[in-house]
Amino acid sequence: MQKYTTLILVGLIVVLAAALTGVLIFLKNQPTQERAFQPLVEIQPMEPDSEKWGVNFPNQYTTFLKTKTNNIDTTYAGASQFSWLERDPRQVLLFAGYPFSKDYNDDRGHVNALEDVRATKRLNLNLDDPKRTPGTCYSCKSSNNPALWNELGMEDYDKMSFVELGEKIDQSIGCANCHEAGTMRLIVTNPALEEALTAQGKDWETFTRQEMRTVVCANCHVEYYFAGEGKYLTFPWANGTDVYSIIEFYENIGFKDWDYPEAGTPMLKAQHPEFEFFTADSTHFNAGVSCSDCHMPYVRDGAAKFSSHDVHSPLLNPELACGQCHTDTEYVVRRVFVIQEQVATTKIATEDAILDAINALQVAAADPNADSALLDQARTWHRKAQYLWDFVSAENSTGFHNPEYALKILADSTNYARQAQMLAAQSIDDTSLLATGTFDQGSIP
Amino acid sequence: MQKYTTLILVGLIVVLAAALTGVLIFLKNQPTQERAFQPLVEIQPMEPDSEKWGVNFPNQYTTFLKTKTNNIDTTYAGASQFSWLERDPRQVLLFAGYPFSKDYNDDRGHVNALEDVRATKRLNLNLDDPKRTPGTCYSCKSSNNPALWNELGMEDYDKMSFVELGEKIDQSIGCANCHEAGTMRLIVTNPALEEALTAQGKDWETFTRQEMRTVVCANCHVEYYFAGEGKYLTFPWANGTDVYSIIEFYENIGFKDWDYPEAGTPMLKAQHPEFEFFTADSTHFNAGVSCSDCHMPYVRDGAAKFSSHDVHSPLLNPELACGQCHTDTEYVVRRVFVIQEQVATTKIATEDAILDAINALQVAAADPNADSALLDQARTWHRKAQYLWDFVSAENSTGFHNPEYALKILADSTNYARQAQMLAAQSIDDTSLLATGTFDQGSIP
């Protein structure tokens, strides 16, 4: 009898252990977004104050706060707010006539976005009439935005001036820019992104979590322009998100950011097209890697595993960032430097070509007898050359996010710049406009 | 008593099994090159006949023989001996005045090398005086070479005519080009490679086996030129093996392969610089991957594991070739196509720029009043532009062996070509030379 009891007990233990194992495996395999958690405090929808979210998510919040002071530079870029105009004086000339020629600092971490947009001389330049700076400039700078867009609609938001809208904004970029309160799922909050995706027939609600770990970055890290008098925030993606399709889009709508002084070229300024650049068949993107995998790697605090919200260059913590996939991080970092050095060198050659073209164009444009058709063709190439270059230059990876794409774009840009120069020379039939290497650092004001 | 006997027997069995396991593990961990093998036949040093080596190494030899018929094309290249001049008619013009403009087929596998070098019209073009084709042209085409170099010395080998030397040669590329008979270790056999390495202070005898799995390919897959009247086979590596150092070397010695008709540019033809291209900080090379890892992957025949000697594009067997390291070969192949498409497109843009420069140069050179200093500068850029382009074009991977390097080189080449064109226009003060897109397929003879 005792023998039977023992057998029954052992049997029960086995069954229970198997069941427990099954349940644990099941729980382990649940997608993170659906994992139940017990919030300590209730977060209101679109809550702008990240500190409140931080009560429920202290690890994420603590790391997020580090973006206040993670102002470390890498070899080719960084977050110390150094001046691009001092580091590469060619850019003073490339952006002549546009605020970027007066003030162009590399950006600091997310927590500083609000302070930095208010401090930039690019906007203070308009202080003679503060209302001229549109509120749209706040679109990527604050976690107040989702609630404001919801309350006002993006159209009215964009119509407000920077000063007016500023009274409603007191938070830098934060939780509400990417997360839905309650579920904490990753969401598109910027209406311009939603509209751009919809126009492409895409519904982000159907995207996987891994896809969203890239798409939420596109709430801000994209190319955009302000459409019409209402300064309506618009992504130029109607023809596609590759740089050639974006140029085609701008050509079709005849958009320009400014006219290049004395050359008369209608210019385009690229913003920070990380999303478009990375997703254009880059090897990491095609391999299924998301922005967050490298810039917000999983870390541990005791038993808790979470995505670091101290967003910065993976070069500052390659063991964590690259080491999630790559075993030899020393090799990987060396590889990044090889690529960035190639891109940086080629970029300077491209800049020299564009500056040669600008110098030629300015002479030709000053000549009343210039052939206007040839001059306009020259301007078209100048416009395209500089936008292509800027697409690589303004993108925050010195080409690393998509190395071959960067170098192909720069090759095209140099070719276009030389064609602009040649057309300018043809327009006034003057071969003296064909001088190369005309950049003179001493000439910079 | 019987109990003790059983125990002793079992003990013995355990000890023997452990010892056997130990010995097998020891043997398994022996480096391949030191593994003892019992040759079936003795191979004489530098034995030219690969069939004899094949008796000892039937797997290697059987796969080697497949290079006779592995004439399959990939998207951008291959081994079917298709005509580059038909596929890309720009090359007819780019090589005008040089035999490559008459006959330029992609190469077949190793077993065909001897037949193909004897058949090429590039050499038959010299049939009016057969002795004008130097014997040096056999340097990379035959396993007779190691013995001939040993017997004659490279200097006398190179001084012979193609016809004379041909009488001593009856084998295509084979075992003796890379292996030492007896030990079967990988060796440098081409004296030009040995000299080039020595000049760099390198002793290949100290290289690891894995390094040699790349270096033996440099017995042939390199850039070279024929120095002096004796047509002495020389690698232009004195300043380094990157393309810019090679150009500098050619500049310093004032070498040219031919003069471009009517432009008067002293031109350089790039050969097949796979070694220099791959080893210039490519990601695979820096990661420790050798040529053989991808082009001669390890395969199995029953219990035997050996390196396939059916050398060809890894795109034809990606599971084996790429799959030795990469788990997702479908992704990897897609990646290769993305890269090759970018390089192929950029390469055509570069060709167009060079052709525009050539057209301008020909007009300028025909003008007796041309400024000769400017014209010579134009020729210098033309020469460099075409060599840079050719370094990528003649290299057998459509850029894949080193994608960023390929695209950086093409960006520079286009820039140089445009500068050549502009200088030509300046030399006769004629802006009509600045036309672009001048290539006209209809004009090709």
Side-chain angles (χ1 to χ4, degrees), chain A residues 281 283 331 335 415 429 431, chain B residues 281 283 331 335 418 429 431:
Chain A
D281 271 333
T283 188
Y331 165 76
R335 183 79 214 134
N415 199 10
D429 191 19
T431 58
Chain B
D281 271 334
T283 189
Y331 165 77
R335 183 79 212 135
R418 291 296 177 211
D429 192 19
T431 58

Side-chain angles (χ1 to χ4, degrees), chain A residues 280-288 331 334-335 338-339 341-342 345-346 349-350 353 356 402-405 407-408 410-412 414-415 418-419 421-423 425-426 428-436, chain B residues 280-288 331 334-335 338-339 341-342 345-346 349-350 353 356 402-405 407-408 410-412 414-415 418-419 421-423 425-426 428-436:
Chain A
D281 271 333
S282 79
T283 188
H284 282 98
F285 177 71
N286 281 359
Y331 165 76
R334 218 167 60 229
R335 183 79 214 134
V338 168
I339 289 169
E341 197 271 337
Q342 287 168 316
T345 311
T346 309
T350 301
D356 290 341
N402 200 341
E404 299 89 358
Y405 191 50
L407 287 157
K408 180 191 164 15
L410 291 174
D412 285 342
T414 303
N415 199 10
R418 292 294 177 213
Q419 293 186 51
Q421 182 178 9
M422 295 197 291
L423 283 159
Q426 285 173 286
I428 62 169
D429 191 19
D430 184 350
T431 58
S432 76
L433 270 54
L434 300 174
T436 56
Chain B
D281 271 334
S282 78
T283 189
H284 283 97
F285 178 70
N286 282 359
Y331 165 77
R334 218 166 61 229
R335 183 79 212 135
V338 168
I339 290 169
E341 198 270 337
Q342 286 169 316
T345 311
T346 309
T350 300
D356 289 342
N402 200 343
E404 298 88 359
Y405 191 50
L407 287 156
K408 179 190 165 16
L410 291 174
D412 284 342
T414 303
N415 198 11
R418 291 296 177 211
Q419 292 185 52
Q421 182 178 9
M422 296 197 292
L423 283 159
Q426 285 173 286
I428 62 169
D429 192 19
D430 184 349
T431 58
S432 76
L433 270 54
L434 300 174
T436 57

Side-chain angles (χ1 to χ4, degrees), chain B residues 183-233:
Chain B
T183 67
M184 290 310 288
R185 70 177 178 140
L186 294 170
I187 54 172
V188 167
T189 56
N190 188 333
L193 175 56
E194 172 120 24
E195 287 171 11
L197 290 170
T198 303
Q200 296 186 325
K202 290 178 182 168
D203 176 6
W204 65 266
E205 301 259 7
T206 67
F207 291 174
T208 64
R209 179 171 163 82
Q210 180 64 2
E211 285 172 322
M212 289 305 288
R213 281 163 57 84
T214 291
V215 170
V216 291
C217 305
N219 278 313
C220 290
H221 290 263
V222 291
E223 166 66 354
Y224 62 80
Y225 73 106
F226 297 168
E229 285 305 304
K231 303 290 180 188
Y232 194 75
L233 184 65

